[in-house]
Amino acid sequence: MDAPMSEPGPLTDLVKALRALPGVGVRTARRMAYHLLQNDPQAARALSRALSDAIEGLVHCERCNGFSQTPICVVCSDSGRDQSLLCIVETPSDQNSIEATHNYLGLYYILMGRIAPLEGVGAQELNLKRLLDRVSDGRVEEVILATNFTSEGETTAHYLGEALRARGLKVSRLARGVPAGSELEYVDAGTVAWAMMERKPA
Amino acid sequence: MDAPMSEPGPLTDLVKALRALPGVGVRTARRMAYHLLQNDPQAARALSRALSDAIEGLVHCERCNGFSQTPICVVCSDSGRDQSLLCIVETPSDQNSIEATHNYLGLYYILMGRIAPLEGVGAQELNLKRLLDRVSDGRVEEVILATNFTSEGETTAHYLGEALRARGLKVSRLARGVPAGSELEYVDAGTVAWAMMERKPA
């Protein structure tokens, strides 16, 4: 599936550029390119503009490390939020999931990744020094570790928990247990075991 | 997974624009957006540029309907090719597959799709009038139907075969049979049946 000599340059370039998207191989990139050029040039123009607008218009918020149009993002500059609570998540999607509960009124720190030794991502690569500076603002009292419950997420939570407790902060982790609305028969054994271990007085 | 109020506008716009890509839902679009912004802004810039270059720089070749930088593409303007042979394919990828054989020296016509009644794609939508004009140039003698061997591809081949034969052209179809290098034990029954029916004197 290499580009043949007869393929026009801009098409070859577009296929190559689309391959930079995660999970997109050469066949998918070709299908995407043909689809945009043949059926939806308007969408291709919109995507071109959206990409350059996002690259030029977004920075990392100085406080939470999330994407923002301003040096301090809207969440971090909301004075109605509880400045003593800081929730650490892996990605902006995770932040969205927590915001969707309309139940948490503290602030966030977005790691933009997780510690994954097998992929060569350590504390250095995640720039955890920046997080440690952030929690030392004198206002944060409790840090909620909301990294994923995958092995990388747990490793990250463990590492951060150690470092944050050493700074005298209260550290908590999202509760593990049976998901809302689920029947025990269909919940995996690991989850039931956790729920049993962390049972609460009723 | 709707965009929360706190998400910066350019990020929401980028996620929306990425969803125009075939097979990309909102979760994948978000992952793509975060990846580009966080890890590869250079690739995002390149993709933005490649999209607008392709949209501005490519037209449909007036003869073969493929993508081209010039009104007549490099293949169609190659006087070394056999002007009496025209191979009809569904997409530029299919053309690439045939070019990769270095064995076919005729010309092409690219349908940019196939007849798919269930998707509302008929002869009208494929602009087959343009193909019928193309084959009436007085030089084409044989048309090779190289649409896919799927049900839509076969329908398209059947429809085109009728219309082209009615114009007095010789019409052929790619051979069906056992793929090169394969063992009969592992070839599906339909293919073996075809190969048996279309057996040739050895």
Side-chain angles (χ1 to χ4, degrees):
Chain A
M1 287 290 287
D2 274 343
M5 294 291 292
S6 58
E7 188 172 77
L11 182 55
T12 307
D13 293 345
L14 176 55
V15 171
K16 201 170 145 217
L18 283 164
R19 291 196 59 191
L21 295 171
V24 174
V26 65
R27 274 170 211 273
T28 309
R30 273 185 195 283
R31 194 169 321 127
M32 287 174 167
Y34 299 150
H35 170 78
L36 288 176
L37 293 172
Q38 181 65 23
N39 305 323
D40 216 346
Q42 208 48 52
R45 266 187 217 103
L47 178 53
S48 169
R49 209 166 31 237
L51 281 162
S52 65
D53 286 357
I55 290 292
E56 307 309 328
L58 295 177
V59 295
H60 285 286
C61 168
E62 289 169 12
R63 301 195 75 210
C64 74
N65 198 35
F67 297 117
S68 170
Q69 288 178 275
T70 45
I72 307 286
C73 76
V74 287
V75 175
C76 288
S77 45
D78 180 349
S79 60
R81 286 183 169 256
D82 186 345
Q83 309 282 321
S84 69
L85 271 178
L86 189 78
C87 178
I88 303 186
V89 293
E90 293 183 19
T91 68
S93 287
D94 300 330
Q95 179 184 19
N96 295 348
S97 295
I98 294 176
E99 283 291 280
T101 65
H102 298 292
N103 206 16
Y104 174 73
L105 289 170
L107 296 173
Y108 292 93
Y109 187 88
I110 297 123
L111 295 171
M112 293 292 183
R114 68 278 186 282
I115 293 178
L118 293 179
E119 295 164 26
V121 180
Q124 199 75 44
E125 286 71 25
L126 276 187
N127 202 359
L128 293 184
K129 194 179 164 306
R130 203 171 148 190
L131 166 60
L132 297 178
D133 289 345
R134 168 69 184 86
V135 297
S136 313
D137 70 346
R139 303 182 70 180
V140 174
E141 290 166 20
E142 178 178 350
V143 177
I144 302 166
L145 300 171
T147 53
N148 288 322
F149 286 76
T150 57
S151 65
E152 288 94 348
E154 296 277 24
T155 306
T156 308
H158 180 78
Y159 180 93
L160 290 176
E162 303 266 292
L164 294 167
R165 264 189 296 271
R167 274 171 173 71
L169 289 156
K170 186 176 159 195
V171 178
S172 55
R173 179 90 169 105
L174 286 191
R176 265 172 283 238
V178 180
S182 62
E183 301 179 66
L184 286 186
E185 183 177 356
Y186 298 106
V187 173
D188 69 291
T191 299
V192 176
W194 269 114
M196 185 62 81
M197 252 193 304
E198 305 196 346
R199 65 188 180 277
K200 294 174 58 179
Chain B
M1 287 289 288
D2 276 343
M5 295 291 294
S6 59
E7 189 173 77
L11 181 55
T12 307
D13 294 345
L14 176 55
V15 172
K16 202 171 143 214
L18 284 165
R19 292 197 57 190
L21 296 171
V24 174
V26 64
R27 274 169 211 274
T28 309
R30 271 183 195 287
R31 194 169 321 125
M32 287 175 167
Y34 299 151
H35 171 79
L36 289 176
L37 292 171
Q38 181 65 25
N39 305 323
D40 214 347
Q42 208 49 51
R45 266 188 216 100
L47 178 53
S48 171
R49 207 165 34 238
L51 281 162
S52 63
D53 287 355
I55 289 292
E56 308 308 330
L58 294 177
V59 294
H60 285 286
C61 168
E62 288 169 15
R63 301 195 76 210
C64 74
N65 197 35
F67 297 116
S68 170
Q69 287 179 275
T70 45
I72 307 285
C73 76
V74 286
V75 175
C76 289
S77 45
D78 180 350
S79 60
R81 284 182 171 255
D82 185 345
Q83 309 281 321
S84 70
L85 271 179
L86 188 77
C87 179
I88 303 185
V89 293
E90 295 183 20
T91 67
S93 288
D94 300 330
Q95 179 184 17
N96 294 347
S97 294
I98 294 176
E99 284 291 280
T101 65
H102 299 290
N103 206 17
Y104 173 73
L105 288 171
L107 297 173
Y108 292 93
Y109 186 89
I110 296 121
L111 296 172
M112 293 289 182
R114 68 274 188 283
I115 294 178
L118 293 178
E119 294 165 25
V121 181
Q124 200 75 42
E125 287 70 26
L126 274 187
N127 202 359
L128 293 185
K129 192 177 164 308
R130 200 170 151 191
L131 165 61
L132 297 178
D133 290 346
R134 169 69 184 87
V135 296
S136 313
D137 72 344
R139 304 181 70 179
V140 175
E141 290 165 20
E142 178 178 350
V143 177
I144 303 166
L145 300 171
T147 53
N148 288 322
F149 286 77
T150 58
S151 64
E152 289 94 348
E154 295 278 23
T155 306
T156 308
H158 179 79
Y159 180 94
L160 291 175
E162 303 267 290
L164 294 166
R165 264 188 297 270
R167 273 171 174 70
L169 290 155
K170 184 174 160 198
V171 178
S172 54
R173 179 91 170 105
L174 286 191
R176 264 172 285 237
V178 180
S182 62
E183 299 179 65
L184 286 187
E185 183 177 356
Y186 297 106
V187 173
D188 68 293
T191 298
V192 176
W194 270 114
M196 185 62 81
M197 251 190 309
E198 305 197 345
R199 64 191 181 276
K200 293 175 60 180

